[in-house]
Amino acid sequence: MFLTISTTASAAGAATDLGFLLHKHPDRSQVFSTSYGAAHVFYPEASAERTTAALLLEVDPPALVRRGRTQGRGRGGAPDAALAAYVNDRPYAASSLLAVALRTVFSSALRGECRTLPERAAAPLPLRIEVPALPARGGAPLVERLFAPLGWQVAAEPVALDGHFPQWGASRYVSLVLEGELRLSEALRHLYVLLPVLDDAKHYWVSPDEVDKLLRFGAGWLPAHPEQKLITSRYLSRRWSLTRDALERLELARLADADDIEVEDIDNAVAAEVPEEAEERPTPLAVLRRTAILAALRDHGAARVLDLGCGQGQLVAELLKEPRFTEIAGMDVSVRALDIAARRLRLDRMGERQAGRISLFQGSLAYTDARLKGYDAAVLSEVIEHLDLSRLPSLEYAVFGAARPGTVVVTTPNAEYNVRWETLPAGHVRHADHRFEWTRAEFAAWAGAVAGRYGYQVAYTPVGPDDPEVGPPTQLAVFTLTAQKKKEEAAA
Ligand code: SAH
C-alpha cells in the first residue's frame, strides 16, 4: 500500500518545506510500527523545486488476522475464508489500513500543526497526491464525485485486471492522481476519511466513537459535501444507527456553522434520512416516539400544546403540520437548542398565520413559570432524565402543580432495554447527559406517586418493539387530570 504527496516551489517557499509540514526529515527514511505492519516514510525526491514524500505500508497479514481474532471478529468458518485472511490484496491496495497508517505517522500534520512553519501549515500549497492502487467500489466515477467537490482535480484511471489480458477488463482498483491548492492538513483529512469509504471494507469493527472521528476529520468539508450520505454510511460500515446519528450531527453542524455541537445520542437523534445504501432501515425510535406522542395528544383532544424541553424543535415541527394544534409553544433551557429550532422551523420565513400559532421561549423546568399556564397538554419528551433526581420535585410542582394542563405526556428511556442496544456497553446510559435511566417499575412508581399527589390518572404505552423480557426502548406515560379534580377546580 503506497501513496505519495508532492509539492512544488511557490512564492510562499521551497518545496522542501513539505518535510517540516509532515514532521519528517527529507534526508532520512523512517519506519514506524503500526498494529498492522511497518509504515515507511521516505522522499523519492527532495529539491527546492519539487519534493515528494512517500508512505509505504508493509502489511503483516498474520498481525492483521491476530488483531481480528483478539477483537472477536476472526474470519473463522470455511477454509477458503481462513486462507483469504492471509492471501488477499491488503499488502498492495490502499485501504482503511493505509488511512490508519496516515493517522499514526502524520498525526500533527493532520491537525495542521507545525511549530517551525505555522503560516505554511495554515496556507494552501500546490499538492499532487498519487495512489497507484486504490480499491474503489463505485469505480472512477465515484472517486471523481468524492474528491472533485473538495477542490481537487481528479484523474482516476481504472487499473486493468491483467495487463497481458486486456479482454479481462478492469479490476476494482483505480490509479488515482489528485491535484489542487489545498492546505496539507485538509488534504490528509480528505484521504483519511475517503480512502476507507472507497474501499468500503473496514478492517476493524466500527464502534460508536467512529462517529466522533468522522465528525472530527470531516470538520469543515463533510457538512457541505454533496455525497455526505454515502460517505457517512460507508465510513460507518452501513451501521444505520451510527449513520443516522452522524447525519444528524452533520446537519446540526451545518445549521450552527460549528463542528463541535452536541446533540442527543443514538435514539434521540432526529430521524435523519438513512441513505439508500444502508442495509437495514427500521423506523428510527425518535420517529416512533413522536408518532406516539401525537397520537396521545389527538386522543385527548388537545389543541393548545406545550413542548417542555423542546430541544431542536422536531416535535414542534410535527405539531405545526396539523391544524388541530392551534397554539404550540416550545420551551427549553438551552438558547442554542432554541436557536437551532427557530432555524429548522424557518420561523423568519413563515407566513404570519403559521407564525402566530407558534412560540419558542427559554425557561427552566426547575422553576414555577406563569407562562406555562393555560395549555390543554404538556409534553416532556426525553427530558426528565436530564434533571438531577433532587430537582425532579421542582419540575413535578412546576408542571403538575402550577401549570396544571389537562394532559401531560412523559417519555423516558427504559433502562431494562439497554442490553438490547448493539452499541451500548453494559451498564451505560444512552446519553452522557442522562442523570438517570429508569426501569419500567421505577418509572411506574414515580408516575403513580406524582399522579396521586396532584390528582391525575396515569396510563402507560410502550414505544418501539415491546420486548417480552425487557420491554420497549421508550416508556410513555399519559397523565390526565381526573374528572373530579377538574370539577373541583372549575368550581373553585
Ligand atoms: N424533547 C426533545 C429533546 C430532548 S433532550 C426530544 O424529545 O427530542 C432534553 C432537552 O431538555 C434538551 O434540549 C435540554 O436543553 C432540555 N432541558 C434539560 N434540562 C432542562 C430544564 N431544567 N428546563 C428546560 N429544559 C431542559
Side-chain angles (χ1 to χ4, degrees):
M1 283 191 244
F2 187 66
L3 76 75
T4 61
I5 304 170
S6 311
T7 190
T8 46
S10 68
T16 36
D17 287 352
L18 187 63
F20 290 111
L21 299 178
L22 289 172
H23 299 244
K24 302 286 172 283
H25 201 288
D27 293 343
R28 275 206 305 270
S29 160
Q30 298 182 56
V31 188
F32 302 83
S33 75
T34 78
S35 332
Y36 310 103
H40 302 261
V41 179
F42 56 95
Y43 288 77
E45 57 183 333
S47 73
E49 290 73 49
R50 189 182 157 87
T51 295
T52 298
L55 172 65
L56 172 79
L57 180 63
E58 214 178 355
V59 175
D60 174 14
L64 198 53
V65 174
R66 265 197 314 276
R67 292 249 337 161
R69 291 237 177 86
T70 53
Q71 289 173 5
R73 296 251 137 198
R75 304 181 182 201
D80 278 0
L83 186 61
Y86 294 94
V87 183
N88 55 39
D89 63 4
R90 287 290 173 251
Y92 314 108
S95 71
S96 59
L97 295 175
L98 190 54
V100 172
L102 265 181
R103 204 183 79 216
T104 312
V105 174
F106 299 132
S107 59
S108 310
L110 257 164
R111 288 194 299 270
E113 291 169 7
C114 181
R115 249 185 251 155
T116 324
L117 297 172
E119 69 292 347
R120 286 284 265 157
L125 66 165
L127 287 173
R128 179 183 166 95
I129 291 171
E130 286 187 51
V131 191
L134 173 70
R137 234 193 97 219
L142 182 61
V143 176
E144 170 89 28
R145 267 158 50 212
L146 294 187
F147 284 100
L150 299 171
W152 292 104
Q153 271 189 331
V154 184
E157 292 293 327
V159 173
L161 204 52
D162 189 320
H164 296 294
F165 301 97
Q167 67 272 25
W168 288 1
S171 66
R172 65 182 201 99
Y173 302 95
V174 300
S175 131
L176 173 68
V177 180
L178 299 171
E179 286 183 310
E181 290 253 342
L182 283 93
R183 270 174 294 168
L184 183 63
S185 63
E186 266 178 323
L188 293 173
R189 287 189 288 122
H190 296 164
L191 293 172
Y192 178 75
V193 172
L194 296 179
L195 293 184
V197 163
L198 283 162
D199 192 11
D200 203 19
K202 278 251 161 99
H203 63 278
Y204 54 86
W205 177 236
V206 172
S207 63
D209 54 310
E210 289 291 310
V211 175
D212 296 328
K213 238 186 256 167
L214 177 65
L215 274 118
R216 191 145 32 90
F217 291 108
W221 62 272
L222 189 53
H225 198 294
E227 295 292 347
Q228 182 194 92
K229 281 184 189 145
L230 178 142
I231 294 170
T232 305
S233 163
R234 282 197 183 187
Y235 185 88
L236 297 167
S237 296
R238 296 192 173 77
R239 293 191 58 197
W240 67 266
S241 57
L242 299 184
T243 303
R244 178 157 41 82
D245 188 27
L247 287 173
E248 165 67 1
R249 287 171 61 183
L250 284 165
E251 171 66 5
L252 291 173
R254 202 175 57 76
L255 287 170
D257 299 317
D259 299 306
D260 59 347
I261 196 153
E262 285 298 326
V263 290
E264 285 286 80
D265 208 15
I266 310 169
D267 70 312
N268 275 338
V270 75
E273 213 183 309
V274 176
E276 300 279 302
E277 288 208 23
E279 272 165 12
E280 332 149 50
R281 290 205 268 172
T283 309
L285 186 55
V287 174
L288 297 175
R289 197 156 43 221
R290 285 195 289 277
T291 307
I293 293 168
L294 288 166
L297 293 173
R298 281 186 218 113
D299 285 354
H300 290 85
R304 312 181 63 229
V305 178
L306 189 53
D307 185 9
L308 298 169
C310 64
Q312 286 117 23
Q314 293 94 333
L315 180 67
V316 171
E318 292 299 315
L319 290 165
L320 209 55
K321 287 185 197 158
E322 291 187 38
R324 72 164 75 219
F325 301 117
T326 54
E327 206 176 317
I328 304 154
M331 179 184 110
D332 204 285
V333 76
S334 156
V335 180
R336 182 131 88 134
L338 289 169
D339 191 40
I340 294 171
R343 285 201 242 175
R344 182 195 290 275
L345 294 163
R346 302 186 196 282
L347 273 191
D348 54 336
R349 270 175 269 170
M350 207 176 261
E352 220 169 280
R353 254 185 74 187
Q354 280 292 74
R357 286 168 65 205
I358 185 174
S359 61
L360 295 178
F361 57 90
Q362 195 209 3
S364 171
L365 288 159
Y367 304 98
T368 308
D369 189 333
R371 293 173 297 178
L372 308 188
K373 282 201 177 168
Y375 287 87
D376 301 329
V379 177
L380 286 161
S381 165
E382 308 297 283
V383 172
I384 58 171
E385 64 277 8
H386 288 265
L387 274 85
D388 284 329
L389 277 172
S390 63
R391 307 212 100 182
L392 219 45
S394 320
L395 172 144
E396 291 159 25
Y397 178 74
V399 177
F400 296 90
R404 234 171 150 57
T407 304
V408 181
V409 182
V410 179
T411 78
T412 195
N414 166 19
E416 293 162 85
Y417 194 86
N418 289 354
V419 295
R420 295 283 186 267
W421 290 117
E422 47 175 348
T423 57
L424 202 65
H428 279 59
V429 293
R430 295 182 203 174
H431 187 266
D433 192 45
H434 287 179
R435 307 302 157 89
F436 59 86
E437 282 176 359
W438 279 335
T439 62
R440 285 167 292 174
E442 286 166 330
F443 183 50
W446 173 80
V450 170
R453 205 170 310 136
Y454 293 105
Y456 284 76
Q457 276 163 342
V458 58
Y460 305 93
T461 317
V463 180
D466 197 356
D467 188 285
E469 257 175 72
V470 298
T474 294
Q475 21 192 2
L476 181 149
V478 184
F479 297 77
T480 42
L481 206 51
T482 59
Q484 195 200 336
K485 272 278 172 194
K486 255 191 198 159
K487 228 186 271 166
E488 281 171 23
E489 281 171 31

